[in-house]
Amino acid sequence: SQKIEQNSEALNIQEGKTATLTCNYTNYSPAYLQWYRQDPGRGPVFLLLIRENEKEKRKERLKVTFDTTLKQSLFHITASQPADSATYLCALNTGGFKTIFGAGTRLFVKA
Amino acid sequence: EAGVAQSPRYKIIEKRQSVAFWCNPISGHATLYWYQQILGQGPKLLIQFQNNGVVDDSQLPKDRFSAERLKGVDSTLKIQPAKLEDSAVYLCASSLEGFNEKLFFGSGTQLSVL
């Protein structure tokens, strides 16, 4: 069956460290993958999109990698800050008009 | 730029009652989506409109859920009758193109069915 897996356990890190979140998928061949941030009581906010022919994408302190062989995307936040604490969602385009979201990983950055 | 507007913000109803949610997307965005997000889960697509036509409603429980997008702008999602398992946050999103890239989400309507 088709699955998207994000670490269900919360990630706790110290301020200034790099946070790395993982998105694994099975039985999909996504044309692209997106990462969103969601704060409690708010809708998700788009962060980055990476296409299948791109290995890596950066935006300020954010970096996303996409390995279509491993069927995995890694999302990195460098020099993390307490304000980065949120839930981060991975979303796959599964072809055509369909996008599937993972359940998200909660990140806590301690000062 | 104004964001995606949704109302109401919260709604509490009893099972078997009906409820409606409203969404106004970002001006000029052709594609509108309704998602259901149950606590601890990712958003699940219920229905997607391209202008005022339905692109995908394969996961919409059509025996109780309905949605429309009049004139290709704002949209309403209705549940009638509601069940306990419909308790969730209902998110509306819009995007400029029809390819599910860079979705802009509203803050959602939190529905509690008692």
Side-chain angles (χ1 to χ4, degrees), chain A residues 32 34 36 38 41-46 49 51 89 93 96-104, chain B residues 9 35 37 40-43 45 48 55-56 58-59 91 98-103 105-107:
Chain A
Y32 55 84
Q34 302 176 72
Y36 288 78
Q38 187 171 26
R42 309 300 300 269
V45 174
F46 171 80
L49 181 151
R51 300 191 187 278
L89 301 165
N93 164 257
F97 298 107
K98 195 152 270 193
T99 292
I100 307 293
F101 280 83
Chain B
R9 191 76 176 87
Y35 282 86
Q37 187 172 25
Q41 299 182 18
L45 180 69
Q48 178 178 341
V55 171
D56 183 353
S58 57
Q59 298 193 88
L91 294 163
F99 303 108
N100 279 270
E101 294 183 16
K102 196 175 180 181
L103 274 61
F105 283 85
S107 292

Side-chain angles (χ1 to χ4, degrees), chain A residues 78-104:
Chain A
T78 58
S80 59
Q81 304 165 359
D84 295 326
S85 298
T87 296
Y88 291 86
L89 301 165
C90 158
L92 296 184
N93 164 257
T94 61
F97 298 107
K98 195 152 270 193
T99 292
I100 307 293
F101 280 83

Side-chain angles (χ1 to χ4, degrees), chain B residues 12-94:
Chain B
I12 300 173
I13 62 172
E14 294 188 351
K15 60 183 179 183
R16 291 188 288 274
Q17 286 187 323
S18 63
V19 64
F21 313 123
W22 174 82
C23 172
N24 194 337
I26 292 173
S27 177
H29 279 196
T31 311
L32 184 148
Y33 316 76
W34 283 103
Y35 282 86
Q36 179 193 58
Q37 187 172 25
I38 293 171
L39 190 64
Q41 299 182 18
K44 182 182 103 174
L45 180 69
L46 293 175
I47 189 167
Q48 178 178 341
F49 293 93
Q50 178 80 7
N51 296 308
N52 57 351
V54 175
V55 171
D56 183 353
D57 63 357
S58 57
Q59 298 193 88
L60 186 73
K62 297 180 187 64
D63 57 334
R64 298 184 301 104
F65 286 64
S66 65
E68 60 182 7
R69 189 182 185 195
L70 299 175
K71 299 180 183 177
V73 182
D74 55 356
S75 175
T76 55
L77 176 70
K78 296 178 182 176
I79 308 175
Q80 182 179 13
K83 292 185 174 181
L84 297 176
E85 59 261 36
D86 298 332
S87 294
V89 175
Y90 290 84
L91 294 163
C92 178
S94 68

